[in-house]
Amino acid sequence: MGIYLCVDATLCTNFVGLFDLDVTDADVRCLFTGEAEDKWKESAPYLVDITPDAKNCDGTNFCQ
């Protein structure tokens, strides 16, 4: 079973310094695909895998 965080990219700018979807080591997936992903990148919803045993989520800045 995994633990996922749903992130609204439009609100990410409110948390600068806490985490950044572009540079995190966690597995980040946009919920839009294709042209929509490219066009709406800044406001699309994203899923972030924060499962404790997920890749690089054993104490990284994002998971803290």
Side-chain angles (χ1 to χ4, degrees):
M1 179 162 55
I3 301 170
Y4 298 89
L5 173 67
C6 187
V7 177
D8 179 345
T10 60
L11 299 177
C12 272
T13 57
N14 295 339
F15 300 102
V16 172
L18 293 178
F19 63 87
D20 187 342
L21 293 176
D22 294 330
V23 297
T24 184
D25 290 337
D27 186 19
V28 178
R29 303 279 172 118
C30 181
L31 294 181
F32 293 167
T33 59
E35 266 186 56
E37 181 178 2
D38 293 335
K39 184 175 181 178
W40 301 104
K41 179 180 180 177
E42 300 297 320
S43 60
Y46 290 84
L47 275 183
V48 181
D49 187 349
I50 59 171
T51 307
D53 63 341
K55 179 185 171 201
N56 297 319
C57 254
D58 55 356
T60 61
N61 289 335
F62 187 88
C63 291
Q64 291 175 358

